[in-house]
Amino acid sequence: MSENVPICKITEDLRQALKEFRFRKEKDTAALVLKVEREKQQIILDEKLEDTDIESLQESLPSHQPRFILLSYKQEHKDGRVSYPLCFIFFTPRDSHVELQMMYAGSKLALQKEADVSRAYEIRELEDLTEEWLLSKLSN
């Protein structure tokens, strides 16, 4: 397979949504779910979840299609502090279409850079996206 799979374009609308999400003032857990629009070769907003939890996020994701997730997680620490780490999660199911997996993989770093997020994680199985998994990642 010698075809080059292009990096998908990040639209101005998405850039604005990422910026607004990054600087949001709400004090809850929220997520932007992003997907690749294969025909136009661009990344678009699939869903915006406000005042959500990890279980609801997991339920909102398709089990056989990749997604990018930008997550602002309300983390309550043992000492009483509350923080809101921003995480980039790349969900790429093993059984999704190979060309789609390549489009997502090729666009991941550019999107992560555009979102200006240093915490980046990858999951292959939807059931792995749990609060325990996230907390273990955040504690590293």
Side-chain angles (χ1 to χ4, degrees):
M1 186 150 82
S2 61
E3 280 182 71
N4 283 341
V5 178
I7 292 175
C8 296
K9 182 179 172 206
I10 299 170
T11 64
E12 279 308 312
D13 287 348
L14 182 58
R15 278 190 174 88
Q16 187 61 37
L18 291 171
K19 185 177 179 182
E20 288 171 10
F21 188 77
R22 183 168 178 71
F23 296 109
R24 64 192 291 278
K25 302 286 186 232
E26 290 80 2
K27 303 292 182 199
D28 58 15
T29 295
L32 291 182
V33 180
L34 311 172
K35 70 178 183 179
V36 167
E37 194 174 53
R38 193 188 314 195
E39 296 74 32
K40 293 184 179 178
Q41 296 181 343
Q42 63 186 20
I43 301 168
I44 61 170
L45 180 62
D46 186 32
E47 192 171 5
K48 184 177 183 177
L49 303 169
E50 296 282 349
D51 194 16
T52 192
D53 57 34
I54 302 302
E55 190 176 305
S56 299
L57 172 60
Q58 184 191 55
E59 290 170 4
S60 75
L61 296 170
S63 60
H64 300 294
Q65 295 177 358
R67 288 293 185 268
F68 297 117
I69 303 145
L70 193 60
L71 178 69
S72 175
Y73 179 69
K74 181 179 180 180
Q75 185 177 10
E76 298 178 16
H77 300 271
K78 290 183 175 85
D79 62 6
R81 292 178 303 119
V82 176
S83 63
Y84 299 88
L86 196 60
C87 308
F88 181 83
I89 302 170
F90 176 36
F91 169 54
T92 175
R94 286 179 176 79
D95 56 353
S96 59
H97 191 273
V98 174
E99 181 187 2
L100 202 52
Q101 283 186 38
M102 290 171 60
M103 289 175 84
Y104 274 83
S107 303
K108 181 179 106 169
L109 289 176
L111 181 59
Q112 184 181 339
K113 184 178 180 186
E114 183 68 40
D116 195 19
V117 180
S118 58
R119 290 181 180 95
Y121 312 114
E122 191 170 323
I123 59 169
R124 302 285 281 179
E125 304 296 332
L126 195 52
E127 55 272 1
D128 291 344
L129 181 58
T130 63
E131 194 128 16
E132 294 74 25
W133 171 82
L134 182 61
L135 288 171
S136 75
K137 295 293 186 185
L138 291 173
S139 67
N140 291 342

